[in-house]
Amino acid sequence: MVPIIVPDSSWYRAKSTEAHAPFSCPYANVHKCHRYYASIYMLGKVKMITSISEDKKANLDTFWAGSNLVPVIAEEDTGIRGSEYKSNSFFNFCPEVTFTYFGYYANYLARYADEIDEGSGQRIAERESVKNDWRYDWASVIACHFLDCSVYSQVDDFNSKKVSKFDQLAHSNVVVLIGRMEQCLESNDPSGVLHAASNILETMAKDILGDEKLANKTLGSFIEKFKKESALPQEIKNAVESIYNLRNKMPLSGHGNTETPNINMQDAIVIAATTKFVVEIEYRIKKI
C-alpha cells in the first residue's frame, strides 16, 4: 500500500528545501493572489473565521476585476460544499490558508460522509500510526505546495508585471521582507510586523553603507555609523533607531521572552508605513 502524504509543516519545509524555495508562498496576500483572497473570504462566509468587511470586500473585488485572475467557471473557483450547519469539503483552496486554519497544506479537504466512514478511517489511522495523520478528521486531503498550486504561475506573472520602479531600486532581500511585513499586517500580527520592519531596516542599512564587514552585524552595533553616513534627514534616522530599539524590547518580535507584547495593530500600521517611507527615501536618494 502506498503511504499517505501528510502535508504538515515538516513536509512543506522539505518540499521547499528540495526546490530551493521559500518556506511560505511569497504571494499569500489578499492583494497579491486572488485564490488566497477567495479562500479567506469563503471561510468568513461560512463563519469559520471573522468575515471580511463589506467595504474591504468591495475594494478587493474591484482590484481583482481587471486582473484576469478571477475564475469564470465554478469548477475553477474556490468553494465550500456542505449544509448550513456543517461544511463538508473545501476545494481549490490556497494551501497557505488551509495550513493556517486546518493544519495541513492542501488544495482540497473533505470530511467523512458519515460516522461509519469516520470510524473506519480512524481505525486505519490508529493501526498505521502515521504522525499527524489527517484521517482522524478528514476522509480526503490533497497535499499542495505553493509551487504546485494550479494558479501559481499566473499569480507569479501577475505580480512580476506590476513590480514598481521602487522594487527595482531596492535590494531584493528588502523587497521580500516588505512582502513578509505585509503578510503580518494581513494576518493581524503586530509583533511580526515589528520583527519584519527591523529586518528591513537592518538589511537596507547594510546595503546602503556597502561595508562587507557589517554582513553579520546587527543594526544596533553599527547604528552610529549608519546615522553618520546615511543621507537621510536626522529625524528619519532617529525613527530607524527607534523602530530597531523597540524590536529589541518587544516580546515575540525576534527574541525569546515570556511576557505578553504590548503592541497593537494601530502601532503596527504606523511602523509598517514608516518603514516603507524610510526605505523609499533612502534608495531614491542613493540613486541620485
Side-chain angles (χ1 to χ4, degrees):
M1 177 180 289
V2 178
I4 67 165
I5 295 175
V6 179
D8 55 12
S9 58
S10 297
W11 172 86
Y12 199 81
R13 292 178 72 86
K15 292 277 288 185
S16 291
T17 300
E18 181 181 351
H20 302 289
F23 291 140
S24 62
C25 178
Y27 305 126
N29 182 290
V30 294
H31 290 100
K32 293 185 177 182
C33 177
H34 182 268
R35 177 162 290 184
Y36 181 90
Y37 162 50
S39 299
I40 293 293
Y41 168 72
M42 289 304 299
L43 291 181
K45 185 177 180 180
V46 297
K47 304 188 186 310
M48 295 186 70
I49 63 174
T50 303
S51 299
I52 298 175
S53 69
E54 289 301 319
D55 288 346
K56 185 70 171 178
K57 180 181 181 301
N59 290 336
L60 287 167
D61 287 344
T62 300
F63 173 81
W64 286 111
S67 69
N68 296 321
L69 293 180
V70 180
V72 295
I73 59 175
E75 287 81 356
E76 294 181 354
D77 205 356
T78 298
I80 299 175
R81 294 191 180 100
S83 68
E84 180 181 355
Y85 305 102
K86 185 176 182 181
S87 301
N88 293 324
S89 63
F90 306 77
F91 54 94
N92 293 330
F93 256 69
C94 167
E96 302 286 338
V97 173
T98 61
F99 176 75
T100 298
Y101 296 103
F102 301 123
Y104 299 108
Y105 290 95
N107 57 16
Y108 175 80
L109 306 96
R111 301 189 190 279
Y112 289 103
D114 51 43
E115 293 181 357
I116 296 176
D117 285 344
E118 183 176 15
S120 176
Q122 290 178 351
R123 284 192 294 274
I124 293 173
E126 289 174 359
R127 183 172 65 248
E128 296 186 4
S129 298
V130 176
K131 184 179 179 181
N132 294 334
D133 197 329
W134 45 260
R135 289 175 295 188
Y136 285 103
D137 299 299
W138 301 94
S140 178
V141 169
I142 298 179
C144 184
H145 187 276
F146 77 81
L147 292 176
D148 300 320
C149 177
S150 61
V151 300
Y152 178 76
S153 61
Q154 294 173 299
V155 171
D156 183 53
D157 184 61
F158 168 76
N159 283 279
S160 297
K161 287 180 178 178
K162 69 183 185 72
V163 171
S164 68
K165 185 177 181 181
F166 165 64
D167 288 340
Q168 297 172 14
L169 286 173
H171 190 282
S172 59
N173 285 1
V174 170
V175 176
V176 169
L177 288 168
I178 288 176
R180 188 174 299 170
M181 182 171 67
E182 293 289 343
Q183 289 180 34
C184 290
L185 280 174
E186 293 292 340
S187 60
N188 294 318
D189 179 9
S191 295
V193 170
L194 177 57
H195 185 203
S198 176
N199 286 342
I200 290 166
L201 296 173
E202 183 171 278
T203 304
M204 175 204 72
K206 291 178 179 179
D207 186 36
I208 293 298
L209 294 178
D211 187 343
E212 294 182 358
K213 296 179 181 179
L214 303 177
N216 297 315
K217 301 290 186 179
T218 64
L219 178 57
S221 67
F222 64 90
I223 189 66
E224 293 304 323
K225 176 179 176 67
F226 170 73
K227 292 170 70 175
K228 180 179 180 181
E229 298 183 21
S230 170
L232 291 172
Q234 188 60 47
E235 295 82 357
I236 299 179
K237 295 177 187 178
N238 292 339
V240 171
E241 185 176 19
S242 295
I243 291 173
Y244 184 79
N245 288 340
L246 180 60
R247 174 263 179 191
N248 288 336
K249 297 184 291 185
M250 188 63 61
L252 301 182
S253 293
H255 60 92
N257 197 311
T258 58
E259 297 181 2
T260 301
N262 60 346
I263 181 174
N264 56 39
M265 282 306 300
Q266 183 173 345
D267 298 329
I269 290 170
V270 173
I271 289 170
T274 301
T275 299
K276 288 185 285 187
F277 170 73
V278 169
V279 170
E280 180 164 5
I281 291 176
E282 186 72 274
Y283 276 104
R284 290 195 183 280
I285 290 177
K286 177 184 178 182
K287 183 181 179 181
I288 61 175

